[in-house]
Amino acid sequence: MKRVYLDNNATTMVDPQAYELMLPYFCEKYGNPNSLHDFGSETHPALRKAMDQLYAGIGADDMDDIIVTSCATESNNWVLKGIYFDKIVTGEKDHIITTSVEHPAIGATCSFLESLGVRITKLDVNSEGLINPDDLRNAIDDKTALVSIMWANNETGAIFPIKELVQIAHERGVLFHTDGVQAVGKIKVDVKDAGVDFMSFSAHKFHGPKGIGGLFIKNSQKLTSLLHGGEHMGGRRSGTLNVPYIVAMGEALEIANKFIDFENIHVKRLRDKLEDALLEIPDVTVVGKREHRVPNTILASIKGVEGEAMLWDLNKAGIAASTGSACASETLESNPIMEAIGADKELAHTALRLSLSRFNTEEEIDYAIEHIKKATQRLRAISSTFAYAPQWHKSGL
Amino acid sequence: MAKNTLIGGSIWDEYSQKVQDRMNNPKFMGEITEEEAKEKGCKLIIADFGAESCGDAVRLYWAVDEKTDIIKDAKFRSFGCGTAIASSDTMAELCIGKTVDEAVKITNIDVEKAMRDNPETPAVPPQKMHCSVMAYDVIKAAAAQYKGIDPEHFEDEIIVCECARVSLGTIKEVIRLNDLKTVEEITQYTKAGAFCKSCIKPGGHEKREYYLVDILAETRAEMEREKLTAIANAKTSDLGADMSFEELNTIGQFKAVEQLMDTDIRPMLAMDGGNLDIIDIRKDDDGKIDIYIRYLGACSGCASGASGTLFAIEAVLKENLSQNIRVMPI
């Protein structure tokens, strides 16, 4: 059976070149880089290169820190909890601003901090999935410690105007963190130009391995550590370095950035082709304008077709998609992003997320279009909420 | 949390083959028209339950023979996940050949069991158990329509755990009868909360009107209030009938002694211009209950306070409250 992977916002295939590059660091050059012998020190050139690739890949300066973490979830937790220890528990500040469409790594951490007495403000988004910068301006007060707003949304692909939002926060002396996990490798990300104080990222979203990521900290700024222990990463994040994964992450980021133009031309063209085909089906809506989205993502609602039922049919055809956050696939609640953007409750249960990568082919997209149409036809024939409406009968779908 | 729950798996792996087959090829999907019902000599019933906004909606068609009340044919349409489609299909099949009254007795458990490949293994993962519940509700809606009555006629109880169909009344009763103190005990006794677990506490995969943690806390609080009321009643009325003096807490004992002082002892002392105060009640290590008193008025300094009067007071208290009482003037 043909297999088509259209769930690249959940995770991606490791780039073969990055994979090849990391292999020697498992069985040949396996020394602990902190050890004072040749087994350890022979890993240093590769580590140095990978760190250079990461710094160059996001536009960081030598005075900045990029700390390798296990993933963006750890990085997000670190920033929020670090700020709590640095500025909130001391009584200096008491407030964090975020949005209602963040990944649970931000949302759930904020809820936890709220239980400790932190004031949390969640900015709402409009029907395009974007926030109004004025809402941020109005939400900041003298006790605001941090603004944390994602660079691009994992569900809708909506790109937030990070540079403008950073300026608003900085005008009031407030630190700015962005969860860059869905932006890095898909669009040009330059932390210096954007001015962010902190940025989280995960390698497995840009064709690196799972279980490795990073946190950018501007100008080596103070941030209480999440993991205390040895002197790894300058003592900022203890734990023996995962050399093979760091090597692969650096390489994957460099390759992804080389493919940014390809992403914005060829991947976007395939995405738009798929999206156009979906929109040919009556009563299908797509969230957000294409020009405001990362080039690989579609969040569609297919009237009358429950999201999980659609996934069942697509999976049978070998097609991987998502109804929303993969983390939420075992829950029965409707897609929270769909509700956050003010979509009708009816539509919230009909969300289908399709996310492409540079490894998808035209043939795969044609195959996906064929099977999404077939599944829509079958499930609408069963559906009790679709079958009654005469105009839908006429359409033949 | 345990080893098996640390790595989540594909919920589809937990679907029985029967569920998968019905998801792929529902046999009873479709409609029954007025004409088709007439051809069968039947009355057409069309009932809806749920809404797309809830994530599940089902429409049930019945062709019912009005002479026998037997459902001759049943079909469905369903907006929902694969489990909802499979459950609706099974539910429609189970209705056929039954009378309306018999069909009303089909529960979600019956539907789920009918979809099992073997009797011991659930047909769907725990969090999907509730998808078969809709089947139960739409049958009630159809039966109510056929009989021209309100669907609530069939709803005599509030169901807290939809998966195991355990009512609020049953849970409260079991807590009281067995003096249950934990949610785990409730699950052991009733199976409520054993499946999808969303009725245990807020934060599960779906919001519930009632949660076991709240029912337990409220019922325990009610039980505690009732106990206190019993104590209070015991203190003010027929003390000793329900509860011994020893079983009362200190406040209860104090009030009981005070009451007896007012009715039987103070009038006696008042005749000589005296009175007393209860200072403390303490339980001695030897099991005796010492009641410390202080004489007031004429009784204060009276020689009889350590002999005759003291014995009289002690005798009244012993006779009415407990033989273990000792009165200690200070």
Side-chain angles (χ1 to χ4, degrees), chain A residues 302-313 315-316 329-334 339 344-350 378-388 393, chain B residues 8-12 15 20 23-26 29 31 48 51-55 57-59 61 76-83 85 127-128 130-131 204-207:
Chain A
I302 302 174
K303 173 79 184 156
V305 178
E306 201 269 343
E308 193 196 296
M310 171 58 91
L311 287 196
W312 171 264
D313 276 22
N315 191 48
K316 273 200 306 164
S329 64
E330 285 192 18
T331 73
L332 306 175
E333 295 293 319
S334 59
E339 294 195 21
D344 287 347
K345 275 248 176 196
E346 282 80 6
L347 299 188
H349 291 279
T350 58
R378 182 182 98 86
L379 293 167
R380 280 184 170 173
I382 298 172
S383 179
S384 58
T385 58
F386 195 82
Y388 314 141
H393 278 310
Chain B
S10 167
I11 54 171
W12 291 337
Y15 290 162
Q20 296 185 36
M23 279 157 69
N24 293 337
N25 294 301
M29 181 269 287
E31 300 173 6
D48 288 305
E52 200 169 314
S53 56
C54 309
V58 62
R59 172 170 277 202
Y61 297 81
F76 80 96
R77 284 198 185 278
S78 174
F79 167 87
C81 63
T83 313
I85 293 169
Q127 69 267 36
K128 291 287 176 182
H130 95 298
C131 296
H205 64 263
E206 63 177 356
K207 290 193 184 89

Side-chain angles (χ1 to χ4, degrees), chain A residues 93-245:
Chain A
K93 308 277 183 183
D94 71 354
H95 186 212
I96 291 173
I97 298 170
T98 182
T99 76
S100 54
V101 295
E102 298 294 317
H103 187 274
I106 293 287
T109 310
C110 283
S111 299
F112 169 67
L113 293 177
E114 202 167 25
S115 75
L116 300 179
V118 181
R119 272 192 303 134
I120 304 286
T121 299
K122 290 185 177 175
L123 305 176
D124 286 331
V125 294
N126 63 18
S127 59
E128 299 257 317
L130 293 166
I131 64 163
N132 180 350
D134 284 337
D135 290 348
L136 173 61
R137 201 170 273 118
N138 295 333
I140 296 175
D141 61 36
D142 293 342
K143 298 283 265 180
T144 306
L146 180 76
V147 173
S148 177
I149 295 175
M150 63 194 347
W151 200 309
N153 183 264
N154 47 319
E155 309 279 359
T156 60
I159 302 169
F160 287 85
I162 289 300
K163 193 170 179 177
E164 184 185 355
L165 299 172
V166 169
Q167 279 168 357
I168 292 168
H170 283 179
E171 278 165 17
R172 301 285 296 273
V174 178
L175 292 167
F176 195 100
H177 164 250
T178 186
D179 178 357
V181 77
Q182 297 290 347
V184 174
K186 291 185 189 132
I187 55 172
K188 188 169 164 39
V189 166
D190 187 326
V191 288
K192 191 60 67 184
D193 179 56
V196 295
D197 299 291
F198 309 102
M199 184 180 78
S200 311
F201 58 92
S202 267
H204 76 105
K205 306 289 188 183
F206 51 78
H207 303 288
K210 295 163 190 62
I212 195 89
L215 177 65
F216 161 80
I217 305 175
K218 185 163 81 181
N219 206 15
S220 304
Q221 170 148 322
K222 178 181 187 299
L223 186 70
T224 293
S225 293
L226 199 59
L227 301 184
H228 295 89
E231 284 302 305
H232 314 88
M233 286 270 136
R236 299 204 77 157
R237 198 264 186 193
S238 296
T240 302
L241 300 186
N242 188 342
V243 177
Y245 281 23

